[in-house]
Amino acid sequence: MANPYTSLISQLTNQYNTNKANAQKLWEQQQKAAQDAYDKNLKALTDAYTSRTNSLKSNYDSSLSALQNNYNASNQALNKSAEGNLQQAYLNYMNNQKNLGQILSAQGLSGGASESTAAKMLNSYGNNRNSIRSELADQLSTLQNNYDAQKASALEEYNSLLADDHLNRLNAEVNLRNTLASAVQGANDTYYGSLSDLENAYLSALADLKGKEAGYSSSGSSETGSSRSSGSTSGESKTFSEMSQSNKKKTQKWKIAEYQVADMAKRGYTPARIASALMDQGFSDSDIASIMNSDTQYTPYNTSSSRYIYNQYLRGGSA
């Protein structure tokens, strides 16, 4: 009669491989989703700050243009006003010079007095011109200083806004990278946690099936031996728990348990957690002590010895 556990073990292994593949597929999808979200958000951030930078530059250029226009208009107005004042001073001088003879005759003055008065008029006209030009120079200097100060202020504000935006952008990019790293780490934790859970469940189920398979094979051999021996009574097959420890050690269930101890130790499980896993599989305290206190030839990894693990367990290592 075919061993039914062979098919069950094959089904279990196939399901285990399928579950691992599904876990990996989900992990890859989560990784891609996290990276896609990062790329999308980074592009949106870059576009937003590019637009913001262009807007700041446009505002700065507009401010400079307005300042330049105001400066040009004020400069033109000051020069025009000074030019008008100079023209008016000249007209006043010419009118006074034209009327000088009549004024002097009316006052009964002539000769040297006439020349002295003309000289005073010319000197007064010169002083007026100098005063107008000096005042214009002062006004133009003040205008230039104000213009330069306003340009410097506009540039300072522009650079300050750019610096603030640059710092804000760096902080936003750091936040995006942290979000990506957190999402990737979360996906990794979920994935590797799933793999560990799947493997532990698989090994536990496999150990159970192997134990039952050993019992089934033992039962079949016992029945065959009984049928061939005349006068012998039909022996009742023993369950795993009823076997002697020396016979248990010959079963696949025991060998798989030794493998599981080494594997769980390699993955960082505490002695108490390893012992609990063996207890869930039906091993007695003495079985657990023997499994965890042996340096088994079935250990596939170069890890700490099972004896060390068991000693930790005896000292009360917590799960």
Side-chain angles (χ1 to χ4, degrees), residues 7-315:
S7 175
L8 292 176
I9 290 173
S10 177
Q11 293 176 24
L12 176 66
T13 301
N14 290 338
Q15 185 61 52
Y16 168 62
N17 291 332
T18 298
N19 291 340
K20 281 204 306 182
N22 290 337
Q24 181 173 354
K25 182 177 180 181
L26 177 61
W27 173 67
E28 291 172 350
Q29 290 174 344
Q30 291 174 333
Q31 293 273 356
K32 185 177 184 303
Q35 186 63 51
D36 289 347
Y38 170 77
D39 293 340
K40 179 181 178 181
N41 291 334
L42 182 60
K43 182 179 184 306
L45 179 68
T46 300
D47 291 345
Y49 275 97
T50 298
S51 176
R52 165 74 173 168
T53 300
N54 292 338
S55 177
L56 290 177
K57 183 62 167 62
S58 177
N59 291 340
Y60 172 64
D61 290 341
S62 295
S63 296
L64 289 184
S65 179
L67 289 175
Q68 183 68 58
N69 291 336
N70 290 338
Y71 171 79
N72 291 340
S74 297
N75 185 287
Q76 183 178 3
L78 289 175
N79 278 284
K80 185 176 182 180
S81 176
E83 182 181 356
N85 291 336
L86 288 172
Q87 290 178 350
Q88 186 62 48
Y90 175 74
L91 290 175
N92 290 340
Y93 168 70
M94 294 302 294
N95 287 333
N96 290 335
Q97 192 178 42
K98 179 180 179 181
N99 297 326
L100 179 61
Q102 295 177 358
I103 295 173
L104 291 176
S105 296
Q107 295 177 355
L109 299 175
S110 62
S114 175
E115 292 176 358
S116 175
T117 302
K120 289 180 180 179
M121 290 177 57
L122 179 60
N123 185 59
S124 176
Y125 169 61
N127 289 338
N128 287 339
R129 286 175 58 85
N130 290 337
S131 177
I132 292 170
R133 287 172 176 169
S134 177
E135 184 179 3
L136 174 62
D138 290 342
Q139 291 174 333
L140 291 178
S141 177
T142 300
L143 176 64
Q144 183 67 50
N145 290 336
N146 290 339
Y147 174 56
D148 292 340
Q150 289 171 332
K151 285 199 302 180
S153 177
L155 179 60
E156 181 180 3
E157 182 181 6
Y158 172 60
N159 287 333
S160 177
L161 291 173
L162 285 180
D164 289 344
D165 277 5
H166 180 66
L167 180 60
N168 292 336
R169 178 175 180 174
L170 290 179
N171 290 334
E173 288 178 353
V174 169
N175 289 336
L176 287 180
R177 286 193 292 271
N178 288 341
T179 300
L180 172 63
S182 178
V184 169
Q185 185 61 50
N188 288 342
D189 290 344
T190 300
Y191 174 59
Y192 291 112
S194 296
L195 288 185
S196 179
D197 292 342
L198 287 172
E199 184 168 8
N200 290 333
Y202 169 68
L203 291 175
S204 178
L206 183 62
D208 182 63
L209 287 177
K210 286 291 187 179
K212 291 179 180 179
E213 182 183 40
Y216 177 83
S217 298
S218 175
S219 174
S221 298
S222 176
E223 291 177 0
T224 301
S226 297
S227 64
R228 291 178 179 177
S229 302
S230 58
S232 64
T233 59
S234 297
E236 187 176 311
S237 63
K238 294 182 178 180
T239 63
F240 183 82
S241 61
E242 294 172 335
M243 294 180 183
S244 66
Q245 195 170 91
S246 60
N247 286 334
K248 289 180 180 179
K249 292 181 178 180
K250 298 176 183 179
T251 66
Q252 287 291 328
K253 180 174 181 178
W254 189 280
K255 295 175 182 179
I256 291 174
E258 291 176 331
Y259 174 97
Q260 186 177 7
V261 167
D263 181 64
M264 292 181 72
K266 178 176 180 289
R267 294 177 181 275
Y269 286 89
T270 62
R273 177 67 182 84
I274 297 173
S276 176
L278 294 176
M279 189 176 297
D280 290 342
Q281 297 173 33
F283 287 101
S284 65
D285 289 343
S286 61
D287 292 339
I288 295 173
S290 179
I291 293 171
M292 296 180 69
N293 198 35
S294 65
D295 287 316
T296 173
Q297 61 179 314
Y298 301 103
T299 303
Y301 306 112
N302 183 19
T303 60
S304 301
S305 68
S306 300
R307 181 174 291 106
Y308 172 74
I309 297 171
Y310 182 60
N311 289 338
Q312 283 188 305
Y313 171 60
L314 292 179
R315 288 196 295 268

